[in-house]
Amino acid sequence: MKKLLISLAAALLLGACAAKEAADVSDPAAVYGAIAEAAELSDMFALTADDLLYMIGIEPEWYTASAAYMATEGTSPEEILIFRAADQASADQILEILQSRLQYKQDSAAQYLTENQGILKDGVVRADGLTVSLIVTKDMEAVLSIYP
């Protein structure tokens, strides 16, 4: 009986670890959830479709799902923007905008708020098929451990 309980506990732990590592990249909310669970994030607030359009320039028809968050502290560069693009052309447009956004933030940190340079230097923009994301956080090591 004791061996059965130990085996069951080990199986549950291994299953939990595997689930944590295997975030479905086609589901932005699942990816954000895995990141939020693995990394120490600042207090974040969710961006609406209007925020994404007017603040970042991403049209609502370009994506079918999103998980978009920014740090509540105004001077923090932390943000996680994950989109499931409607098609490849939209994914390419989103990717270009996110790359430009990260570059702009990095360039700005070189002039202003220089304490953010380290965080922004480690920021990533990536495309996994139709899933496109920008991830800037103080805990990139944890993010990359579950979203390599």
Side-chain angles (χ1 to χ4, degrees):
M1 179 72 166
K2 187 175 181 180
K3 283 184 179 182
L4 177 63
L5 288 175
I6 290 171
S7 297
L8 182 58
L12 288 172
L13 284 173
L14 289 173
C17 290
K20 181 178 175 183
E21 292 178 14
D24 178 7
V25 297
S26 68
D27 181 0
V31 174
Y32 178 78
I35 289 171
E37 184 178 312
E40 282 190 44
L41 300 177
S42 295
D43 288 335
M44 308 283 269
F45 69 94
L47 298 172
T48 66
D50 284 343
D51 294 335
L52 293 169
L53 175 61
Y54 298 119
M55 292 171 50
I56 299 173
I58 296 178
E59 300 281 344
E61 60 269 9
W62 292 351
Y63 58 92
T64 59
S66 71
Y69 295 85
M70 285 185 162
T72 57
E73 182 185 324
T75 59
S76 173
E78 291 184 276
E79 60 186 50
I80 298 174
L81 307 173
I82 307 167
F83 300 91
R84 182 67 179 172
D87 53 40
Q88 191 58 53
S90 297
D92 294 342
Q93 289 177 300
I94 294 170
L95 181 65
E96 184 178 326
I97 288 171
L98 295 182
Q99 287 170 332
S100 295
R101 181 169 181 78
L102 180 58
Q103 187 63 55
Y104 174 77
K105 289 173 75 103
Q106 290 169 334
D107 293 346
S108 295
Q111 302 293 320
Y112 315 99
L113 298 170
T114 55
E115 65 272 14
N116 291 336
Q117 284 179 315
I119 297 168
L120 288 162
K121 168 182 72 69
D122 294 336
V124 296
V125 175
R126 58 184 287 167
D128 300 284
L130 294 180
T131 301
V132 183
S133 54
L134 163 66
I135 302 172
V136 176
T137 182
K138 291 181 271 193
D139 198 2
M140 284 303 292
E141 187 176 312
V143 170
L144 295 175
S145 74
I146 58 102
Y147 192 39

